Amino acid sequence: MRYVELRGLSIGYSGHVVAEGLAARLRAGELTCLIGRNGTGKSTLLKTVAGLLPPLGGDIMVVEDGKESPLLTQRDIAVVLTERINIQGMRVRDMVGLGRSPYTGFFGVLNERDNEIVTEAMKLAGLPPEQYAHRLINEISDGEKQKAMIAKAIAQQTPVILLDEPTAFLDYPSKEETMLMLRSLAHEQGKAILISTHDLDVAQRTTDAAWYFNNGAIEELSDPRSMTRIFR
């Protein structure tokens, strides 16, 4: 995959239009940050690109080697939202293992390769399996739950990952660690990763590209290091 292109995209919900005519490119091999003030529609945009909300108009296309196709299936895109997780009786490893569901068929049985992928995803997300595999989701911290959801997205092995405020519940060292991990994932595995964030100090040091969502339009910033100056 070379890039995901938004073409004249209109977004909204329940008959309410949030923005119209959006245009931008999300490139493979890059970590892109989506920034903007509260209430501008960043989460609505992410959910629309992820297929969780239908677009009100326009197109979301995958462009590779001159060929185009619509976006996307569960094997193409993974998403992590900010909703607090409240699941009783499920182990962390089983939660991460749900990321393999697009590949396991009706019964959801993980084979040896699936289990290897889950183990590696937990390590990448900062959840060592020897410490977290058998712990229950409802017994770990909000930050650890967020890491489990990121690990689930990594285990899904999609070329596109969308994350809504992935560092929201993390302490400062974990914020930077998570952003650097996502950037490495984009660079080393050629993934297109888009995250919304308010952690601008961390984001401007770690991101490759930035979208500024403002007044119903997306501005692709030429220099992500300028992010903090926008809100001064």
Side-chain angles (χ1 to χ4, degrees):
M1 180 182 296
R2 296 296 175 87
Y3 57 86
V4 176
E5 186 168 22
L6 313 186
R7 298 177 182 170
L9 183 67
S10 296
I11 62 173
Y13 49 88
S14 302
H16 173 65
V17 177
V18 172
E20 298 179 289
L22 299 176
R25 285 185 177 181
L26 177 65
R27 295 170 178 83
E30 292 185 355
L31 172 63
T32 300
C33 283
L34 172 63
I35 64 172
R37 300 187 186 281
N38 287 334
T40 55
K42 298 187 300 298
S43 293
T44 302
L45 174 59
L46 285 176
K47 289 178 181 179
T48 303
V49 176
L52 302 177
L53 288 173
L56 302 183
D59 297 296
I60 306 170
M61 303 298 294
V62 179
V63 183
E64 182 174 8
D65 296 330
K67 298 179 181 179
E68 299 182 354
S69 59
L71 194 76
L72 279 167
T73 71
Q74 280 190 314
R75 293 196 180 194
D76 300 308
I77 190 164
V79 60
V80 178
L81 302 177
T82 52
E83 283 85 352
R84 290 181 181 271
I85 305 165
N86 185 20
I87 299 174
Q88 303 293 318
M90 176 178 280
R91 300 184 306 168
V92 172
R93 186 179 183 88
D94 294 334
M95 167 64 77
V96 178
L98 292 176
R100 301 303 300 159
S101 60
Y103 312 92
T104 56
F106 179 78
F107 294 103
V109 177
L110 304 187
N111 61 28
E112 182 177 353
R113 179 58 182 152
D114 291 321
N115 280 307
E116 290 174 354
I117 291 169
V118 169
T119 295
E120 183 61 24
M122 292 183 67
K123 291 178 180 178
L124 284 172
L127 295 173
E130 62 274 14
Q131 297 178 32
Y132 286 94
H134 298 287
R135 293 186 64 182
L136 297 179
I137 287 289
N138 58 292
E139 294 178 352
I140 61 177
S141 70
D142 285 338
E144 290 165 332
K145 290 175 185 176
Q146 188 75 345
K147 288 183 177 182
M149 295 306 294
I150 293 172
K152 175 176 173 287
I154 294 171
Q156 200 170 325
Q157 289 200 315
T158 56
V160 179
I161 302 178
L162 308 180
L163 305 102
D164 192 6
E165 296 286 350
T167 60
F169 305 121
L170 304 180
D171 58 27
Y172 191 86
S174 294
K175 290 177 189 288
E176 184 133 0
E177 178 186 349
T178 297
M179 292 291 287
L180 289 171
M181 179 271 293
L182 291 172
R183 187 178 68 179
S184 295
L185 196 65
H187 291 183
E188 295 170 10
Q189 299 187 20
K191 295 182 184 294
I193 301 180
L194 176 64
I195 73 167
S196 69
T197 185
H198 286 98
D199 291 319
L200 301 187
D201 288 340
V202 176
Q204 71 174 356
R205 294 197 304 275
T206 54
T207 191
D208 299 303
W211 294 359
Y212 177 37
F213 195 19
N214 185 47
N215 293 325
I218 297 173
E219 177 187 353
E220 296 189 62
L221 302 182
S222 58
D223 183 0
R225 290 171 295 181
S226 68
M227 283 191 289
T228 55
R229 293 197 293 271
I230 289 174
F231 298 100
R232 289 175 182 168

